[in-house]
Amino acid sequence: MLLTRQTLPKTIPDIAALDDLLCRPTQALIDDLSRVEGDIMILGVAGKMGPTLAGLAKAAAPDRRVIGVARFSEAGVKDWLHARGVETINCDLLDEAAIKSLPQAPNIVFMAGRKFGAEGDLSLTWAMNAHVPALVAQAFPSSRIVAFSTGCVYPFVPVDGKGSAEEMAPNPPGEYAQSCVGRERMFEYFSRRFETPGRLFRLNYAIDMRYGVLHDIATKVLAGAPIDVSLGHVNFIWQGDASAQALRCLAHCTAPTSPINVSGHEILAVRDLAAKFGARFGRAPVLVGKEEPTAWLTDTSQAVGLFGQPVVDTEQLIAWTADWVSRAMPSLGKPTKYEVRDGRY
């Protein structure tokens, strides 16, 4: 079954149904992947988004090799990928020789990086977020490379505007976000040097029932825990839509590589989102702090022009999340830390 707004379920009963939904392609994704030839290799496939992005790629292009590359330190990920028809290769991306031994896939989605715990070992954060991209860019000069980045490379912008457009110069707070600028600069430099086509995929807050901004807010509302509204406005997007847009970017690469903002098109107030969950749970949210006039927000006009609006809208995400959290369904236990303003993760 293809993913359309008409085929979205009212609720997501369990993790298996969630995975199936995240791996369901749209016709637009199938069409865009048909425009690019060759295997698809996903570097850093074992993170939060990687497995279902790989599964989505295989579902959209079943006759294509889809190869997932990671250290695979977490049990079960390889078996899950193999069950979806995705091949796997164990590789430490800090090992230059190991990178050079990987297949020369024409299409690469680069998802490796380090965020959570970044402040605990900043040298490792910089190595993963800037050194590894340089190694990968040199190893695959002829491939299309869609490199995951973050909207956190931008400075804070007024919450009453449209958000940061791709033309805005990166100038973020904190070493984590600075290292993400380093990641982009490495791909940009080698893209110019080798004429490598690519995209810098600046993603703001993917939403899955098990994690994300909405999961964080809903969990706190249900528990009666305080919600800090100082960073009071956010963008976010359903993880399935984000994965589809990343894969579709393979058909919309530029040489040299260029950034594209990916998120929901709405700028949403944390206070309002908390109120919506409070209404569903029958309890008033506990709000602390005062909204600052700026936040990390992106203008997704370019992505909307290329891909259209996301299939899953905000109200659907709220409904799914409220249902999931109210049933005490599993969480990844990885807060987005969307409320952090100093860039320290």
Side-chain angles (χ1 to χ4, degrees):
M1 182 192 303
L2 292 176
L3 184 71
T4 68
R5 290 181 181 173
Q6 290 70 40
T7 62
L8 294 177
K10 290 185 177 180
T11 62
I12 303 173
D14 51 31
I15 290 177
L18 174 60
D19 286 344
D20 286 345
L21 185 61
L22 288 166
C23 293
R24 191 185 301 173
T26 61
Q27 187 62 52
L29 171 59
I30 293 170
D31 293 344
D32 264 352
L33 284 184
S34 71
R35 295 170 52 198
V36 295
E37 296 182 351
D39 302 338
I40 301 169
M41 186 161 66
I42 300 157
L43 304 182
V45 75
K48 292 193 301 291
M49 285 184 66
T52 54
L53 183 145
L56 178 63
K58 188 64 179 178
D63 298 329
R64 206 88 60 92
R65 286 181 72 200
V66 178
I67 305 162
V69 177
R71 289 179 302 163
F72 294 107
S73 55
E74 185 176 331
V77 176
K78 288 180 74 170
D79 290 341
W80 189 98
L81 290 167
H82 293 162
R84 294 273 174 179
V86 178
E87 302 175 34
T88 58
I89 299 175
N90 284 63
C91 178
D92 181 351
L93 294 175
L94 286 166
D95 183 338
E96 183 175 3
I99 291 175
K100 289 180 177 178
S101 71
L102 293 171
Q104 284 292 320
N107 304 291
I108 292 176
V109 179
F110 180 87
M111 305 185 75
R114 174 175 163 85
K115 176 181 179 181
F116 298 108
E119 289 290 315
D121 188 344
L122 287 169
S123 62
L124 176 59
T125 298
W126 279 92
M128 284 301 303
N129 292 350
H131 176 59
V132 169
L135 296 179
V136 168
Q138 291 175 91
F140 301 99
S142 302
S143 300
R144 301 177 194 88
I145 303 178
V146 174
F148 268 65
S149 186
T150 170
C152 294
V153 298
Y154 293 115
F156 290 118
V157 294
V159 299
D160 58 358
K162 294 183 177 180
S164 302
E166 287 86 354
E167 295 77 21
M168 179 175 285
N171 185 25
E175 284 204 47
Y176 159 69
Q178 292 166 15
S179 73
C180 294
V181 178
R183 174 199 295 143
E184 290 194 3
R185 295 304 189 207
M186 290 302 97
F187 279 117
E188 182 184 9
Y189 170 77
F190 288 106
S191 176
R192 291 184 183 279
R193 179 175 170 185
F194 300 129
E195 298 183 354
T196 304
R199 278 290 192 162
L200 304 171
F201 193 79
R202 291 177 177 168
L203 175 62
N204 260 41
Y205 303 131
I207 298 289
D208 175 344
M209 298 305 95
R210 296 163 290 190
Y211 80 96
V213 174
L214 288 182
H215 186 278
D216 294 350
I217 295 171
T219 302
K220 289 180 179 179
V221 171
L222 188 63
I227 297 169
D228 186 354
V229 296
S230 57
L231 200 153
H233 295 77
V234 292
N235 308 99
F236 51 74
I237 185 171
W238 167 241
Q239 180 179 307
D241 281 312
S243 295
Q245 290 190 20
L247 291 166
R248 291 182 67 185
C249 276
L250 291 167
H252 299 276
C253 288
T254 62
T257 192
S258 59
I260 183 168
N261 294 335
V262 176
S263 189
H265 67 287
E266 300 170 290
I267 294 176
L268 299 160
V270 172
R271 179 183 298 273
D272 294 343
L273 294 169
K276 288 178 182 290
F277 284 117
R280 287 176 177 271
F281 297 149
R283 60 180 60 194
V286 180
L287 305 180
V288 298
K290 179 181 178 182
E291 285 95 339
E292 296 287 343
T294 60
W296 263 320
L297 301 165
T298 54
D299 179 346
T300 62
S301 298
Q302 183 184 156
V304 170
L306 285 175
F307 308 128
Q309 297 287 1
V311 174
V312 184
D313 63 22
T314 301
E315 291 304 315
Q316 182 67 76
L317 289 173
I318 290 172
W320 283 347
T321 302
D323 174 68
W324 188 271
V325 170
S326 68
R327 290 186 289 121
M329 293 299 287
S331 166
L332 294 183
K334 295 180 178 180
T336 55
K337 301 187 179 182
Y338 69 88
E339 67 272 32
V340 172
R341 290 188 68 88
D342 62 4
R344 296 179 181 271
Y345 293 93

